[in-house]
Amino acid sequence: MHSSNRLRKLFVRGIPLGLALGMGMLANPQNAFAAGVTLDLGTSTSQQMGTSLQLLMALTVLTLAPSILMLMTSFTRIVIVLSFVRNALGTQQLPPNQVLVGLALFLSFFVMAPTWNQINTNAIQPYMKNQITQTEALTKAEEPLRDFMFKQTREKDLELFVGLAKMERPKTYRDIPTYVLIPAFVISELKTAFQMGFAIFIPFMVIDMIVSSTLMSIGMMMLPPMMISLPFKILLFVLVDGWHLVVQSLVTSFK
């Protein structure tokens, strides 16, 4: 039982380091491949078992990397708000899903850049230079990501999962485990994204109401209001430089 709890804690704490390593390889692949990977299997059975567990943990983190990227960064809020923009415009599949997801991904890189830099400076580089142990690297890599999530998480959501976990009331943020923080962060991001999406829908909904009322008043009830309102909504969005405003609001919402 004690061993399983230890493995779970090691896995959860290894998530930020594994994610940061993957992001570092994407940002600078030449240095990543130049550094290489060295595995020392050792001679004793205990060393071989420890190395096998580390390798298993690393493979597991890499397998879960897409989910980690979506649920532990700014990606969730950004992609939902961009989807709300497309639905409010009523442009069906324009922009395409690939464009929205790609934009959300690179905006997430931009928003998370300070966090990645802290992880790289405090954990990855010292660990690769053998200046700190693996446990110290995991601890130092976990702190910046936890700080980011705490800043975006509501107290109410934290209280919900602390209660569901049936744990004692924490005195500080450090007393809250990462497995409690992650779901609280996710539902906070969902709520924030839907609030921003509602604000985006309002002006386009007003245009739809005006067009529908105008068509009914002149007796053109058979003409689909969407056909008339769509060009006006696109025109309004272009005139106010909608993508600039949406991206600006998204990025500043994480400050």
Side-chain angles (χ1 to χ4, degrees):
M1 184 67 179
H2 178 72
S3 178
S4 62
N5 291 335
R6 185 178 179 183
L7 286 176
R8 184 182 67 176
K9 292 180 180 179
L10 184 62
F11 169 73
V12 173
R13 294 176 61 186
I15 285 176
L17 182 59
L19 180 57
L21 284 169
M23 298 295 296
M25 292 179 65
L26 288 176
N28 199 349
Q30 293 181 350
N31 292 342
F33 286 112
V37 178
T38 302
L39 292 178
D40 184 9
L41 297 179
T43 56
S44 65
T45 305
S46 60
Q47 290 178 337
Q48 292 178 357
M49 180 63 68
T51 303
S52 300
L53 291 176
Q54 292 176 6
L55 182 60
L56 178 61
M57 184 187 70
L59 293 176
T60 303
V61 170
L62 290 176
T63 303
L64 297 176
S67 299
I68 296 171
L69 177 63
M70 289 189 294
L71 299 181
M72 294 179 63
T73 66
S74 58
F75 181 84
T76 300
R77 183 190 305 184
I78 294 174
V79 74
I80 291 176
V81 171
L82 293 179
S83 298
F84 267 114
V85 172
R86 184 175 66 181
N87 292 333
L89 284 170
T91 52
Q92 301 298 328
Q93 295 298 321
L94 293 175
N97 290 330
Q98 294 86 345
V99 174
L100 287 185
V101 173
L103 177 59
L105 186 63
F106 282 101
L107 286 177
S108 299
F109 291 163
F110 179 82
V111 172
M112 300 299 297
T115 303
W116 305 140
N117 291 336
Q118 291 182 31
I119 296 175
N120 182 63
T121 302
N122 299 333
I124 297 178
Q125 293 303 323
Y127 178 69
M128 294 179 66
K129 295 176 182 178
N130 295 323
Q131 296 176 353
I132 58 177
T133 63
Q134 185 182 51
T135 303
E136 292 174 338
L138 291 175
T139 302
K140 292 180 179 296
E142 188 180 24
E143 291 176 357
L145 195 57
R146 281 171 56 91
D147 290 341
F148 170 80
M149 290 191 289
F150 274 124
K151 291 178 181 179
Q152 310 302 326
T153 306
R154 294 177 172 83
E155 295 285 345
K156 182 179 179 181
D157 297 327
L158 282 174
E159 292 177 0
L160 170 64
F161 284 97
V162 167
L164 292 176
K166 297 181 180 179
M167 55 182 294
E168 296 182 1
R169 184 178 180 85
K171 297 180 180 179
T172 63
Y173 284 145
R174 291 182 178 273
D175 297 332
I176 300 177
T178 303
Y179 71 89
V180 173
L181 172 61
I182 293 175
F185 168 75
V186 172
I187 65 174
S188 292
E189 287 293 281
L190 289 175
K191 182 176 181 179
T192 302
F194 273 73
Q195 289 174 339
M196 297 180 69
F198 174 77
I200 291 172
F201 253 98
I202 292 177
F204 299 107
M205 183 177 63
V206 171
I207 293 177
D208 286 333
M209 293 175 61
I210 293 174
V211 171
S212 298
S213 300
T214 303
L215 291 177
M216 290 184 64
S217 64
I218 62 178
M220 302 180 64
M221 292 178 292
M222 300 300 296
L223 183 64
M226 192 67 178
M227 184 181 300
I228 306 299
S229 64
L230 179 58
F232 287 101
K233 290 191 288 186
I234 295 176
L235 179 62
L236 173 65
F237 195 71
V238 172
L239 290 177
V240 301
D241 200 359
W243 290 114
H244 175 89
L245 295 176
V246 170
V247 171
Q248 182 182 26
S249 299
L250 278 170
V251 174
T252 55
S253 68
F254 291 98
K255 303 299 182 180

